[in-house]
Amino acid sequence: MIPDFQSLMRPLLEALSDGSVRRTRDLVDIMSDRFELTDEERAAMLPSGRQRLMHNRVGWSITHLFQAGLLERPTRGHIVITDSGREVLATHPDRVDMSVLYGFESYREFRSRSSARESSDDASAAAEPQAESASPQDLLAQAVTENRAAVEGELLKRALALSPTEFERLVVRLLERMGYGRAGAVEHSGRSGDAGIDGIISQDPLGLDRIYLQAKRYAPDQSVQRPAIQGFVGALMGAQGDRGVFITTSSFSGGARTEAERVNARIELIDGQRLAELMLRHGVGVQAEVTVTLHQLDEDFFESL
């Protein structure tokens, strides 16, 4: 019988407990052998027909373990256990599931993002529909919400791992994908350690209408403070600009937001959560995996016969 994704959590940690870096596809085979799946079960596909069911279950299990910090992805398609993952193996000899993962702050933040996303998408939505009572639309919406929250969390982690220059280029790429500079250009102008302008958006071919960029990586627990905004405003005025965008991987303090509103320039602040949302929405650093179409009976068709 094909296991659910929670039943795969401890076996996956066990398979990685020797510290080796394994490919996701190899973990699928290892788990298939571990649960003694038949050839038919190994070949079972999702309703969309685009992915094997067992591969999907292993993928979801890895996603949840990753969000709790029990696994890491050193390179694309490769997984390795963390020290926290080893500790969980030692303290939970029987089973690891979502109730165990809730003990980690990063996982609670992930679930909080999922809940916040669901509430914003549908104010009347329940916290988590039960499979027994939920409609296919409910279950699909829940899966999409959870997937988006997970990917946004991973995007921020990857952004933090970039060098300052690479992060600045990422921001420039995002703004290009959002359509800025379509009539002009978006250029990367910053240098590592530069406290000035990191990028310039020319809204027209002659570069007369410009928006200036500041892109800074900050750890999640280190918010951008007022002096950083003051420095950006100073650089903006030095360039004779009156519009700027400050993008960070963390958050902005109340003083920083007040300063951005106070100055005689239009400063747009984009924090880490919004950055990840924009990257996902505009397809930067992500790729579509599965598209599902739900159908319902067309009553009008039958009444017209």
Side-chain angles (χ1 to χ4, degrees), residues 124-139:
S124 64
E128 281 191 17
Q130 298 298 316
E132 297 83 6
S133 60
S135 69
Q137 288 84 353
D138 291 334
L139 294 173

Side-chain angles (χ1 to χ4, degrees), residues 185-233:
V186 180
E187 61 180 286
H188 174 225
S189 61
R191 298 181 302 275
S192 180
D194 187 2
I197 303 300
D198 296 325
I200 302 172
I201 302 173
S202 298
Q203 295 287 74
D204 62 279
L206 296 179
L208 300 176
D209 186 11
R210 292 184 169 187
I211 301 174
Y212 295 88
L213 310 177
Q214 181 85 330
K216 296 301 176 189
R217 296 174 309 131
Y218 278 68
D221 59 344
Q222 297 180 350
S223 60
V224 178
Q225 301 294 320
R226 185 191 299 266
I229 302 300
Q230 292 173 331
F232 179 46
V233 171

Side-chain angles (χ1 to χ4, degrees), residues 159-280:
L160 277 168
L162 297 175
S163 70
T165 299
E166 288 171 337
F167 180 63
E168 293 164 7
R169 289 172 179 164
L170 181 151
V171 168
V172 168
R173 187 79 59 84
L174 170 61
L175 292 169
E176 285 178 331
R177 192 69 64 87
M178 291 173 66
Y180 287 99
R182 186 166 294 166
V186 180
E187 61 180 286
H188 174 225
S189 61
R191 298 181 302 275
S192 180
D194 187 2
I197 303 300
D198 296 325
I200 302 172
I201 302 173
S202 298
Q203 295 287 74
D204 62 279
L206 296 179
L208 300 176
D209 186 11
R210 292 184 169 187
I211 301 174
Y212 295 88
L213 310 177
Q214 181 85 330
K216 296 301 176 189
R217 296 174 309 131
Y218 278 68
D221 59 344
Q222 297 180 350
S223 60
V224 178
Q225 301 294 320
R226 185 191 299 266
I229 302 300
Q230 292 173 331
F232 179 46
V233 171
L236 190 65
M237 298 305 174
Q240 298 183 334
D242 61 357
R243 287 180 296 167
V245 180
F246 196 120
I247 302 179
T248 183
T249 50
S250 64
S251 59
F252 295 94
S253 68
R257 293 189 178 278
T258 298
E259 183 68 17
E261 295 174 357
R262 183 190 66 82
V263 298
N264 293 325
R266 184 175 178 181
I267 307 296
E268 181 71 17
L269 304 182
I270 298 179
D271 60 18
Q273 181 175 343
R274 189 176 173 198
L275 170 63
E277 291 173 356
L278 290 171
M279 289 179 65
L280 188 59

Side-chain angles (χ1 to χ4, degrees), residues 262-304:
R262 183 190 66 82
V263 298
N264 293 325
R266 184 175 178 181
I267 307 296
E268 181 71 17
L269 304 182
I270 298 179
D271 60 18
Q273 181 175 343
R274 189 176 173 198
L275 170 63
E277 291 173 356
L278 290 171
M279 289 179 65
L280 188 59
R281 183 187 307 168
H282 296 280
V284 176
V286 298
Q287 57 185 356
E289 188 174 57
V290 177
T291 301
V292 177
T293 300
L294 297 181
H295 297 86
Q296 65 179 0
L297 189 69
D298 185 351
E299 297 286 359
D300 292 336
F301 169 79
F302 288 97
E303 290 181 1
S304 66

Side-chain angles (χ1 to χ4, degrees), residues 42-53:
R42 294 169 190 254
M45 304 291 288
L46 291 171
S48 65
R50 297 192 177 187
Q51 187 182 38
R52 295 189 188 279
L53 180 56

